[in-house]
Amino acid sequence: MNKLKKWALSGAALSLLLFLSGCVQTKDGQPTGEGWVYKLLVEPMANAITYLVQNFNWNYGWAIIFITIIVRLVILPLGLQQSRKSMIQTEKMAALKPQIDAAQAKLKAATTREEQMQAQTEMQQVYKDNGMSMMGGIGCLPLLIQMPIFSALFYAARYTPGINEASFFGINLGQPSLVFVVLAGIAYLFQSYLSTIGIPEEQKKTMRTMLIVSPLMIVFMSFSSPAGVALYWVVGGVFSCLQTFITNIILKPRIKAQIQEELKKNPPKTVVTPRKDVTPKPAKPVAAPPKKNGNGRNAGKQQRK
């Protein structure tokens, strides 16, 4: 279920990106200035970047980095909160795992519709009675919030005079840059690696696909975008690494100890009796048949004589 949830949220993020990317009206390759996406997102973004360049004598690349830092600082508390919820959910799920496994075993063994409904009800009751959500924390919410910023930067870097012709360390910000695409991919790949620190091997296997898909999605979005947009993802990737370091290395041990202490005081409510693994008893050794003397049936008589 966690894997399905992550795939669904990743698909929602990509769908939102495609939706926003198609909402800016253009004519002869230039935006018409109409439409709510352009007026609420693209135009303010272009004006903010232009203001920083004109009033502080900055390069357009540094202006984009500054705006990226502001955006990431704004959503950082939300990202940390989501990570905290996810870690609490994971620790409590570990305590409920025996009951969930028992309910799932009943569901698999069910042969009638009534038995299936009963097993599903028991599984839902396990979550409900212990104050847990079956969907867990929405870890992709910060990414969804960034999609409008991404769309605004996409069109600002492509159509705003000055931005689409500016260069940053010799890289044209208005054209796709393989250098920035690679840097963005590396940053998010390293972030994925940091997110696996301290996680059991069994859980790493279930996360492996998502940890690869997330950097690939960033690479895909950056590959077809102006370098100014890819620069946003590069800086964002560095912030993601910092956030993951804080949550996994600093916060996670504290949260784990806190939840363990909490579970000692308030153990999980038992809804489904966990199955006990029954080890089959070894078979009793069969008595070996009596050995016959090599002299045949009359050997005993001969010995008595």
Side-chain angles (χ1 to χ4, degrees):
M1 181 174 296
N2 288 334
K3 189 181 294 186
L4 179 62
K5 176 193 69 174
K6 291 177 180 178
W7 276 103
L9 290 174
S10 299
L14 187 57
S15 300
L16 179 60
L17 169 64
L18 296 175
F19 170 75
L20 291 172
S21 298
C23 285
V24 175
Q25 303 176 18
T26 59
K27 184 177 181 180
D28 298 330
Q30 293 294 325
T32 61
E34 301 177 356
W36 66 272
V37 173
Y38 184 86
K39 291 180 179 179
L40 294 180
L41 298 175
V42 180
E43 191 173 23
M45 177 65 69
N47 291 338
I49 294 175
T50 303
Y51 176 84
L52 292 173
V53 171
Q54 293 179 349
N55 289 270
F56 295 94
N57 196 27
W58 285 3
N59 179 280
Y60 281 100
W62 289 117
I64 292 174
I65 291 175
F66 178 79
I67 289 178
T68 303
I69 292 174
I70 296 300
V71 172
R72 296 295 305 199
L73 286 176
V74 169
I75 67 175
L76 181 62
L78 176 61
L80 292 175
Q81 183 184 13
Q82 290 293 331
S83 298
R84 179 181 176 84
K85 287 182 179 180
S86 178
M87 286 187 289
I88 292 175
Q89 178 89 358
T90 300
E91 292 300 324
K92 289 186 176 181
M93 282 290 293
L96 296 178
K97 191 175 184 302
Q99 295 191 59
I100 295 173
D101 288 346
Q104 289 177 342
K106 286 185 179 181
L107 185 60
K108 290 180 180 179
T111 56
T112 64
R113 181 64 179 170
E114 289 73 16
E115 291 178 350
Q116 292 177 353
M117 292 291 294
Q118 182 181 359
Q120 290 174 350
T121 301
E122 288 180 350
M123 187 178 298
Q124 293 173 358
Q125 201 67 32
V126 171
Y127 286 94
K128 183 178 179 181
D129 288 0
N130 289 280
M132 299 287 289
S133 170
M134 295 185 71
M135 292 302 293
I138 306 178
C140 290
L141 185 57
L143 180 60
L144 293 175
I145 293 176
Q146 291 185 74
M147 288 299 102
I149 307 299
F150 178 90
S151 181
L153 266 176
F154 180 89
Y155 285 104
R158 175 163 291 186
Y159 297 118
T160 302
I163 299 179
N164 56 358
E165 299 174 356
S167 62
F168 185 63
F169 288 101
I171 298 175
N172 190 338
L173 295 178
Q175 299 294 327
S177 169
L178 185 60
V179 174
F180 284 165
V181 171
V182 172
L183 290 176
I186 292 174
Y188 281 92
L189 191 63
F190 184 62
Q191 185 265 339
S192 296
Y193 166 75
L194 290 176
S195 66
T196 62
I197 296 177
I199 293 179
E201 288 297 327
E202 182 179 352
Q203 190 174 349
K204 285 182 182 179
K205 293 179 181 179
T206 61
M207 295 173 59
R208 191 166 296 164
T209 302
M210 189 60 194
L211 294 178
I212 296 175
V213 169
S214 181
L216 285 179
M217 187 172 65
I218 298 297
V219 168
F220 172 78
M221 291 188 292
S222 301
F223 189 77
S224 58
S225 304
V229 180
L231 180 60
Y232 170 82
W233 287 116
V234 172
V235 180
V238 174
F239 261 83
S240 295
C241 291
L242 176 62
Q243 176 183 322
T244 305
F245 178 83
I246 293 173
T247 54
N248 265 30
I249 309 301
I250 300 177
L251 295 181
K252 188 172 183 177
R254 300 177 184 178
I255 293 175
K256 188 173 183 178
Q258 178 184 346
I259 297 300
Q260 292 298 328
E261 186 66 26
E262 189 177 311
L263 290 174
K264 286 181 181 179
K265 297 179 180 179
N266 301 302
K269 296 180 181 179
T270 302
V271 179
V272 181
T273 304
R275 295 185 307 167
K276 294 182 179 180
D277 295 331
V278 179
T279 305
K281 296 180 179 180
K284 295 182 179 179
V286 179
K291 293 182 179 181
K292 293 181 179 181
N293 193 306
N295 294 331
R297 294 190 312 175
N298 297 326
K301 295 180 180 181
Q302 294 175 358
Q303 289 176 0
R304 288 195 296 268
K305 289 181 180 181

